[in-house]
Amino acid sequence: MISQRYPVDLPISAQDFADSGWKEAISGTPREGYEAMWQAFSTAARDAIEQGRHEHGKVLWLLADACSMKLSPSSPNEPFKPFAMIHDRRTVIPDDLTNADVLSFVKIVDAVDDDWLKARLSDLVWLKGQPRNQMFALKAIDAYRSIPLDMETWIEDGKECWERAIRLAQTLKGGAEDRLEQMEASIIAAFKAATRADGFLGFWLADLLKSNCLGRVHRAEVASKLETLAHGFDGEGERYKAREYFSAAAKWHKAIPDEVKAAEMTVAVAEGWVKEAIARSASESPSHMVAASFYENAIQTYRTIPRAERHAPGG
């Protein structure tokens, strides 16, 4: 899916970037996230080329290519994947960038005041620059962690951005220890502020902490908050959310370790399946087969409780 869009050897400068209209290109994007930025930059690049502004067009195409890559933070060696693959064709990956492209990003990254774009360019320079310069990894971390920890942003690449920032900080070890501690504090603060109105945000933030071995000194507090939210959702009849939150609370209680509370939370998950089965059987369009599967889920969940803890309340 990569085609000749501008002369490869066309030189571009920091001034070309400044005059390219990149800010205007993304100022009207309907939503956050890299896909929207990719589309906006692509449109602006085509317009610039058609108008004969080839240097500006190249700048905008490079920015579009940078934003087109899909962030895969769980892969330390290949953190960027192509956004799309069709048979033997694909969108851009970091290896498609030339040394000149990377140097162009080096020239402009400090002039970028958009956190999403600054994070992406800094990360690509860190990844592809030779030799690697830790300064760009730190720039990427700082830009990524400036992205808000809220529901809307989380589902528009916010999750992957924060995961990438954490992984980069862990890779740098002592070189970014202060940033890792600050990110942990930011996630904890956002988690504490999460309410039922935020849906799964609290669940996701707790998972971000747990999957990256963060929040250890806050285990009891996180477990308690997850349990409170779970009970709240349960009371509102939000059974799926309640089960997910009870399940997460069980894991955090187990990590404390508090096996009794973990068992209590697991019982709540099982009881949630029972409530789901009863509701399905009593609905206007009852399905006893589906209800039976819910009862089976409840039984299987009960069986995960260690025998020593089956005396726990509700066990």
Side-chain angles (χ1 to χ4, degrees), residues 36 47 72 106 172:
D47 291 343
S72 180
V106 171
L172 296 180

Side-chain angles (χ1 to χ4, degrees), residues 124-267:
L124 289 171
V125 172
W126 157 252
L127 189 67
K128 299 301 295 181
Q130 294 296 332
R132 278 191 170 184
N133 187 334
Q134 181 173 300
M135 175 182 68
F136 290 101
L138 295 175
K139 289 178 186 289
I141 292 170
D142 290 341
Y144 279 135
R145 69 192 179 112
S146 296
I147 292 171
L149 284 168
D150 57 41
M151 186 71 173
E152 182 178 355
T153 308
W154 185 268
I155 60 177
E156 296 291 356
D157 296 326
K159 170 181 181 290
E160 290 78 11
C161 289
W162 273 82
E163 285 183 345
R164 177 60 176 162
I166 292 169
R167 297 298 173 89
L168 279 172
Q170 290 172 336
T171 297
L172 296 180
K173 298 180 180 179
E177 185 176 358
D178 59 334
R179 286 169 168 82
L180 188 60
E181 292 174 353
Q182 291 161 12
M183 283 189 285
E184 180 181 40
S186 295
I187 299 167
I188 289 290
F191 173 78
K192 288 181 179 179
T195 66
R196 293 198 303 278
D198 295 312
F200 277 106
L201 182 62
F203 174 87
W204 290 332
L205 292 174
D207 184 65
L208 181 64
L209 291 168
K210 191 164 184 54
S211 62
N212 289 285
C213 300
L214 301 176
R216 292 180 177 179
V217 299
H218 300 278
R219 285 171 178 165
E221 189 175 4
V222 172
S224 178
K225 175 68 177 282
L226 289 168
E227 180 181 350
T228 298
L229 289 170
H231 282 299
F233 284 124
D234 191 42
E236 293 175 348
E238 293 275 3
R239 298 183 185 89
Y240 176 64
K241 289 177 182 175
R243 286 199 307 272
E244 292 295 291
Y245 271 91
F246 277 130
S247 180
K251 293 175 183 176
W252 279 87
H253 278 301
K254 191 175 184 66
I256 292 175
D258 187 338
E259 296 291 351
V260 172
K261 286 294 291 185
E264 182 183 329
M265 295 298 96
T266 304
V267 167

